[in-house]
C-alpha cells in the first residue's frame, strides 16, 4: 500500500470505530448482548442460527441482522421463528461495517430485545477487522474448507472469543488433519474455546449454547 492508501484505510477504520462506539452505547443502554458470526461462505452460519435460536428464544428476545451481497434468502430462513430479522445487502461490499448495524438498529424497538445476532458477510478476511460494536465474535470453520484455514487466516482466531469447527459429520469423507488444525490454533490463540459441531447430526450444539448462555450471564450480571 502507498502512503496515501494507508492514510485512506486509517481514516475508514477511524470512522468505523467511532460509529461502532455509538452502536456499543446504544446496545449497552438497552442491555442487549450482541454476537458477530464470521466465516467463509457456506461454513454454516445461517444453519447454526436456525438451530440455536429455537433453544434460546424462550429465554431471550432475539433480533438478527444478516449480511449478504444479494438476496434476502437467509433472513427469510430465520423469519419462521417470529423474531425481528433484518437483511442487509451490501451489493459488492465484502464485510459489514458499523454504519450498516447502526442504521437498522434505529428502526427496532430496542427495549424489547435482549440478544442481537449479526451474521456477517461470508468472508474470513475483512469482517475480522471491522468492529461492529458487538460484545463477542464467533468464528466458524468447517471440515470441507480444509484444516489449513486457521494458519492462513489467523485474524479470525486472534479476534474471536470462540470458534466452531462445523460439519464434523463430513470428517470421514475428507483428509482433514485434526492434529494439524489444533496445532495451528494453539500457535495463534491457545486460550480460545473450540466447539466441534455438526448441525446435520446435532452434535456439539448443546455445549456451544451452554457456553453462549454463560457469556450472556456474565454480561448481564
Ligand atoms: Mg448465511
Ligand atoms: Zn471487506
Amino acid at each position: 500500500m502507498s502512503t496515501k492508501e494507508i492514510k485512506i484505510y486509517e481514516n475508514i477504520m477511524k470512522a468505523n470505530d467511532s460509529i461502532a462506539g455509538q452502536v456499543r452505547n446504544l446496545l449497552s443502554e438497552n442491555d442487549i448482548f450482541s454476537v458477530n458470526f464470521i466465516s467463509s461462505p457456506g461454513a454454516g452460519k445461517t444453519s447454526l442460527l436456525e438451530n440455536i435460536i429455537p433453544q434460546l428464544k424462550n429465554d431471550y428476545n432475539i433480533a438478527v441482522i444478516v449480511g449478504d451481497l444479494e438476496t434476502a434468502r437467509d433472513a427469510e430462513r430465520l423469519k419462521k421463528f417470529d423474531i425481528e430479522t433484518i437483511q442487509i445487502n451490501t451489493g459488492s461490499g465484502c464485510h459489514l461495517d458499523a454504519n450498516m448495524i447502526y442504521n437498522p438498529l434505529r428502526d427496532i424497538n430496542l427495549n424489547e430485545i435482549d440478544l442481537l445476532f449479526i451474521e456477517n458477510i461470508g468472508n474470513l478476511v475483512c469482517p475480522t477487522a471491522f468492529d461492529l460494536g458487538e460484545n463477542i465474535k464467533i468464528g466458524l470453520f468447517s471440515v470441507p474448507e480444509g484444516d489449513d484455514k486457521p494458519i492462513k487466516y489467523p485474524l479470525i482466531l486472534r479476534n474471536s472469543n470462540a470458534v466452531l469447527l462445523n460439519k464434523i459429520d463430513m470428517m470421514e469423507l475428507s483428509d482433514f488433519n485434526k492434529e494439524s488444525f489444533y496445532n495451528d490454533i494453539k500457535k495463534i490463540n491457545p486460550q480460545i474455546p473450540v466447539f466441534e459441531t455438526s448441525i446435520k447430526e446435532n452434535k456439539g450444539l448443546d455445549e456451544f449454547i451452554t457456553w453462549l448462555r454463560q457469556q450472556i450471564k456474565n454480561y448481564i450480571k
Side-chain angles (χ1 to χ4, degrees):
M1 272 200 276
S2 71
T3 318
K4 196 178 165 195
E5 282 169 335
I6 291 171
K7 197 86 209 143
I8 291 169
Y9 180 77
E10 281 175 355
N11 287 341
I12 289 171
M13 286 324 230
K14 233 186 246 169
N16 184 75
D17 286 349
S18 135
I19 300 163
Q22 293 177 46
V23 172
R24 192 165 278 119
N25 289 339
L26 202 55
L27 295 178
S28 119
E29 281 162 15
N30 289 282
D31 297 317
I32 299 171
F33 185 79
S34 55
V35 187
N36 180 2
F37 290 91
I38 299 173
S39 78
S40 306
K45 295 184 293 304
T46 313
S47 298
L48 178 71
L49 290 174
E50 277 182 305
N51 281 270
I52 65 173
I53 287 171
Q55 299 203 49
L56 294 165
K57 68 179 277 229
N58 292 335
D59 300 317
Y60 307 102
N61 290 317
I62 304 173
V64 187
I65 298 179
V66 191
D68 278 299
L69 273 63
E70 301 277 350
T71 81
R73 286 189 186 183
D74 284 0
E76 293 299 331
R77 281 169 66 184
L78 300 170
K79 274 193 181 140
K80 58 179 173 267
F81 299 118
D82 202 23
I83 55 171
E84 189 80 49
T85 309
I86 295 160
Q87 177 83 49
I88 311 263
N89 283 140
T90 56
S92 58
C94 48
H95 58 268
L96 294 177
D97 64 34
N99 219 10
M100 295 174 194
I101 305 301
Y102 186 71
N103 288 327
L105 284 184
R106 292 185 303 185
D107 299 331
I108 305 178
N109 187 356
L110 295 178
N111 265 322
E112 288 174 3
I113 304 298
D114 315 303
L115 186 55
L116 171 67
F117 288 145
I118 301 165
E119 183 186 329
N120 218 310
I121 307 289
N123 173 358
L124 277 178
V125 189
C126 31
T128 61
F130 280 80
D131 182 8
L132 302 181
E134 75 279 41
N135 292 101
I136 60 171
K137 287 185 175 75
I138 307 286
L140 276 80
F141 297 109
S142 68
V143 169
E145 292 167 54
D147 51 64
D148 59 355
K149 292 304 164 289
I151 204 76
K152 285 184 176 172
Y153 301 93
L155 273 181
I156 184 107
L157 282 153
R158 289 200 193 107
N159 295 345
S160 298
N161 300 70
V163 290
L164 271 62
L165 174 59
N166 195 25
K167 305 191 188 182
I168 51 160
D169 50 283
M170 295 176 87
M171 197 64 87
E172 275 176 28
L173 298 167
S174 79
D175 50 11
F176 192 96
N177 185 331
K178 244 186 181 182
E179 203 186 330
S180 150
F181 176 81
Y182 280 103
N183 281 340
D184 290 341
I185 289 180
K186 232 174 253 165
K187 280 180 220 156
I188 302 159
N189 185 350
Q191 309 297 338
I192 196 163
V194 184
F195 297 93
E196 293 186 12
T197 54
S198 162
I199 286 156
K200 211 172 156 193
E201 294 178 353
N202 191 22
K203 283 182 185 154
L205 290 175
D206 290 346
E207 288 83 352
F208 173 64
I209 290 171
T210 302
W211 177 87
L212 186 58
R213 282 178 185 276
Q214 193 56 52
Q215 308 306 303
I216 302 169
K217 266 186 207 150
N218 293 347
Y219 170 75
I220 289 170
K221 73 175 179 203

